[in-house]
Amino acid sequence: MAPPTAPTAPRKMAGTRATRVVPQVVIRTPPPPKPAPIDFYALLKRAVKRDSNNAIVAVLQYPSFMQAIVGFCDTAKVFPGTPADRARYLGAIGWCFADQADFGRIADQKGLADKLSATLRLLDRSAADDSPAVKAWFTFADAIIMIDGNRHEALRKAKEERRRLAKQDVEMIGASPTVVSKHKAHADPEPKPRAKKPKITPAFAPHKPGSDAALALLAQVDTALEAVQLADDGDQVPRAELQKHRDAVDQAAQRQLYLLDIALQTFRAISDRRARLDKALGPTE
């Protein structure tokens, strides 16, 4: 009987390697929570101050007030029902103002007038015939749109006036390189004319009769004299400005005489304006 043999370790087969299985862990994160819907009624309530009759007496927070209006307009856009139903929905919020003192600052909110205009196109104005609340909404929206429109119209007219005055200066100077005139045009929404304070730059070349340079100088003097006539007691044209015109006119007259090429009509025109400037200056001390 064969003797028992000691157990031996199993032999590893050439070219094989023991592999270790690592379990994979998948971490799943929950989706981010959806933001809570904004309560535009509460936002409007915090943004304004109302009296005992529920009329708005003051706007306390303009950005919040703007956000609430935009939210209500967006809601009205998808509101189920007819255009009259949308108008009644907006009117039920309460847009009665004690006065229009805050309407200017309300209209300053960027994009508000455009938002209100787009919303009004979705509404039926006849819904305000039998509802003071709906009528108050239309009154508020129309006032804001009108204020914004008037401001845009005033800016447009001011730009046109600046372009007109700039074009007039260019035409007055013409192609003459000897006269440089720069005026700042300020649009005045008041119908009352305001005194201008023109700036004059004396020319360094002879003023030939009928030339653009001579005509430009005479026009500048006329502007100064008109400014004297339009000036109020508290807004007089500075004496230094008038003195500049007086010196420039003297210089022009001397050059005309020295060069002997002045026409009699031009010299008389310059002399007449110099006399009017002396009258505006008053007696010299």
Side-chain angles (χ1 to χ4, degrees):
M1 191 173 175
T5 59
T8 60
R11 295 181 180 180
K12 295 180 180 180
M13 297 180 63
T16 63
R17 175 181 296 179
T19 59
R20 183 181 179 184
V21 179
V22 179
Q24 295 182 356
V25 179
V26 178
I27 302 176
R28 295 181 179 178
T29 58
K34 295 182 179 179
I38 301 176
D39 187 349
F40 297 113
Y41 290 94
L43 193 63
L44 178 64
K45 184 178 180 180
R46 294 192 299 267
V48 301
K49 179 181 179 181
R50 297 180 182 268
D51 60 12
S52 58
N53 296 323
N54 202 34
I56 299 175
V57 297
V59 177
L60 306 177
Q61 302 175 11
Y62 285 93
S64 299
F65 184 77
M66 168 75 172
Q67 185 180 1
I69 293 179
V70 173
F72 288 130
C73 290
D74 291 340
T75 304
K77 185 177 180 181
V78 298
F79 191 84
T82 64
D85 293 333
R86 300 189 187 102
R88 295 187 186 98
Y89 158 74
L90 290 171
I93 298 169
W95 302 100
C96 180
F97 286 78
D99 53 48
Q100 297 187 359
D102 293 332
F103 279 21
R105 290 193 60 185
I106 294 174
D108 288 339
Q109 308 305 307
K110 185 176 181 181
L112 179 58
D114 295 336
K115 192 69 174 180
L116 293 174
S117 298
T119 303
L120 291 184
R121 290 193 289 268
L122 305 175
L123 308 180
D124 184 1
R125 287 184 175 269
S126 63
D129 295 341
D130 56 352
S131 174
V134 178
K135 184 177 181 180
W137 157 257
F138 281 109
T139 301
F140 163 70
D142 290 339
I144 298 302
I145 294 172
M146 183 181 66
I147 292 173
D148 183 75
N150 291 341
R151 289 176 178 176
H152 282 82
E153 181 66 15
L155 289 175
R156 184 188 64 81
K157 290 183 178 180
K159 290 180 180 179
E160 289 182 355
E161 181 67 12
R162 286 194 292 268
R163 285 195 294 265
R164 186 188 68 80
L165 292 176
K167 182 179 179 181
Q168 182 179 358
D169 287 344
V170 172
E171 293 176 351
M172 181 179 64
I173 295 175
S176 175
T178 61
V179 177
V180 179
S181 177
K182 184 178 181 182
H183 297 283
K184 292 184 178 179
H186 297 280
D188 190 355
E190 298 285 339
K192 181 181 177 180
R194 298 293 300 275
K196 300 179 181 178
K197 297 179 181 180
K199 182 187 297 184
I200 185 169
T201 302
F204 295 96
H207 293 284
K208 295 182 179 180
S211 67
D212 291 335
L215 295 176
L217 177 62
L218 298 180
Q220 289 175 341
V221 175
D222 287 339
T223 301
L225 293 171
E226 291 175 2
V228 174
Q229 296 173 359
L230 295 176
D232 297 329
D233 294 338
D235 189 18
Q236 296 293 337
V237 177
R239 183 184 181 88
E241 289 291 330
L242 294 176
Q243 188 63 49
K244 290 181 181 179
H245 288 277
R246 176 66 164 78
D247 295 342
V249 171
D250 261 341
Q251 189 180 39
Q254 292 173 6
R255 285 173 176 171
Q256 299 287 3
L257 291 174
Y258 293 156
L259 296 175
L260 298 180
D261 61 354
I262 186 173
L264 180 60
Q265 294 82 357
T266 305
F267 178 72
R268 287 178 177 176
I270 293 176
S271 299
D272 176 68
R273 284 161 173 77
R274 184 174 60 180
R276 293 166 64 187
L277 286 169
D278 287 340
K279 184 177 180 180
L281 286 169
T284 57
E285 298 179 356

